[in-house]
């Protein structure tokens, strides 16, 4: 079986890192109908550098949190920017129903 190889890009990321960030960015809901701060969110994501397990936890948390009433209220007014969500480790938040 051939091992997956990732080329290191000039910015220090692999194609897999870029894919993970872009996947999270697309999956993450907008706040009040718009998304902002992509470049800063990318920097924070790069600093965290999540492995496969943490990335899966992040996606699962977003899936759970985006249907919670706080994130659905007033067109997503209470959805934190992705950079805030990442900086605060919000994928580890316990959802209270």
């Amino acid at each position: 079986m051939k091992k997956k190889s990732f080329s290191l890009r000039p910015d220090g990321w692999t194609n897999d890192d870029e894919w993970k960030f872009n996947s999270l960015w697309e999956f993450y809901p907008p706040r009040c109908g718009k998304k902002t701060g992509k470049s800063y969110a990318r920097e924070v994501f790069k600093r965290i550098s999540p492995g496969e397990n943490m990335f899966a936890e992040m996606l699962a948390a977003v899936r759970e949190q985006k249907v919670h009433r706080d994130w659905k209220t007033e067109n997503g007014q209470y959805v934190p920017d992705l950079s805030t969500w990442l900086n605060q480790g919000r994928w580890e938040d316990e959802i209270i129903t």
Side-chain angles (χ1 to χ4, degrees):
M1 184 174 202
K2 203 172 192 180
K3 240 183 167 179
K4 212 180 201 183
S5 66
F6 300 105
S7 58
L8 196 58
R9 298 175 359 181
D11 60 3
W13 266 25
T14 65
N15 292 335
D16 189 51
D17 295 328
E18 187 71 30
W19 178 86
K20 284 179 190 174
F21 174 75
N22 286 330
S23 297
L24 182 61
W25 179 260
E26 290 302 317
F27 189 58
Y28 198 82
R31 179 180 183 182
C32 296
K34 58 186 169 187
K35 289 187 179 185
T36 59
K38 185 174 184 177
S39 60
Y40 183 58
R42 187 179 189 278
E43 288 177 29
V44 176
F45 188 86
K46 185 176 180 180
R47 182 174 36 89
I48 295 169
S49 187
E52 294 299 322
N53 290 339
M54 183 185 286
F55 181 66
E57 289 173 18
M58 288 175 167
L59 290 178
V62 171
R63 186 177 301 112
E64 191 174 336
Q65 291 170 8
K66 67 196 270 190
V67 297
H68 192 269
R69 71 181 182 285
D70 287 349
W71 279 29
K72 294 174 90 172
T73 302
E74 298 179 35
N75 195 29
Q77 177 182 351
Y78 302 108
V79 174
D81 286 332
L82 180 56
S83 58
T84 301
W85 189 86
L86 290 167
N87 267 324
Q88 295 177 354
R90 303 288 295 272
W91 65 91
E92 297 174 335
D93 286 0
E94 183 178 335
I95 302 297
I96 300 170
T97 55

